Every structure is written in structure tokens, then in C-alpha cells.
Amino acid sequence: MENCIFCSIIKGDIPGDILYSDDRVLAFKDVNAQAPEHFLVIPKEHIANANDASDEALMGRLSITAANVAKERGFAEKGYRLVMNCNEYGGQTVSHIHLHCLGGRQMTWPPG
Ligand code: DGP
């Protein structure tokens, strides 16, 4: 989609620190890391947010990819947090659905 920063990363028009890529999803480091480990997993098709998601296999692929990348990077055993923000109250700032994976430190609850 035009003017979508994550679509531009998928196309290679702007650089991303890519951790994993396959036919349907891409994982890359978050530019504004909130933890020692912080990456995003996105679908390669443009879906704005969780309200627009309907492909169960694709949504599952996002989670499984996050777990696999966390394992590869060596922080899965200690644990991590998966977060998907949706729209204004969820704090979503980029309108291309993405799953955050945060790890490498103790997380707290409740989230802000
Ligand atoms: P959210 O607030 O849930 O919409 O998270 C969007 C995240 O995307 C935020 O943590 C920062 C990250 N981000 C925004 N622009 C870029 C970019 O150009 N490159 C990368 N790698 N991450 C970005």
C-alpha cells in the first residue's frame, strides 16, 4: 500500500534489520526498541489492524514466527511478551498489523 512504512520495508524501498522472511511474513527489529530484544512480525499483505484480520492461518503464522525467532535469538526460554496494539486506545501508530515481540528483561504488569 502507498505511504505505508511497513509495506516499504517489505518492498525493500527503506531499510529494515530483517531477522526472518518467508512467502507470507517478515520479522525485523523495531527501530524504537523497548527491551533488549524487540522485533516486529508483519504479514506481507497489507492489513491495517486486528479488526481487519480474518485469515486464521496467517495470524497464527505471526505468533509462531515470533516464537521461532525468539528461540533462534536465544531468549525464548527465559520468556518474552507478544503484543498487538490496535487503533487509538491500543496505542497503534503504524497502520499495518504487526506483532511486537519483546524480551531480554523482566516484563511488568499492568502495561501502560
Ligand atoms: P505500534 O505503536 O504498535 O504501532 O508500533 C509501531 C512500532 O513500529 C514502533 O515500536 C516503532 C516501529 N517503527 C516505526 N517505524 C519504523 C521503521 O521505519 N522501521 C522499523 N524497524 N520500525 C519502525
Side-chain angles (χ1 to χ4, degrees):
M1 176 179 255
E2 295 267 332
N3 301 320
C4 170
I5 198 152
F6 288 175
C7 285
S8 296
I9 291 173
I10 291 164
K11 285 188 281 184
D13 291 345
I14 65 169
D17 195 343
I18 308 294
L19 301 175
Y20 176 82
S21 180
D22 66 23
D23 58 323
R24 299 203 76 188
V25 304
L26 184 73
F28 57 98
K29 288 191 178 179
D30 192 304
V31 78
N32 186 23
Q34 300 298 314
E37 295 279 352
H38 187 177
F39 64 85
L40 306 173
V41 189
I42 64 172
K44 289 189 173 176
E45 67 182 273
H46 184 90
I47 299 167
N49 58 48
N51 291 333
D52 289 348
S54 58
D55 185 332
E56 294 174 11
L58 180 60
M59 296 303 286
R61 176 107 56 124
L62 298 180
S63 298
I64 291 167
T65 298
N68 287 340
V69 173
K71 288 174 193 168
E72 280 172 18
R73 295 181 63 77
F75 66 89
E77 191 64 31
K78 288 287 278 186
Y80 51 86
R81 181 167 293 170
L82 301 180
V83 178
M84 184 174 283
N85 298 323
C86 181
N87 281 344
E88 181 185 355
Y89 274 21
Q92 185 178 7
T93 59
V94 177
S95 292
H96 183 129
I97 195 168
H98 49 280
L99 185 63
H100 294 258
C101 181
L102 302 113
R105 67 168 169 82
Q106 178 66 58
M107 299 296 151
T108 60
W109 196 264

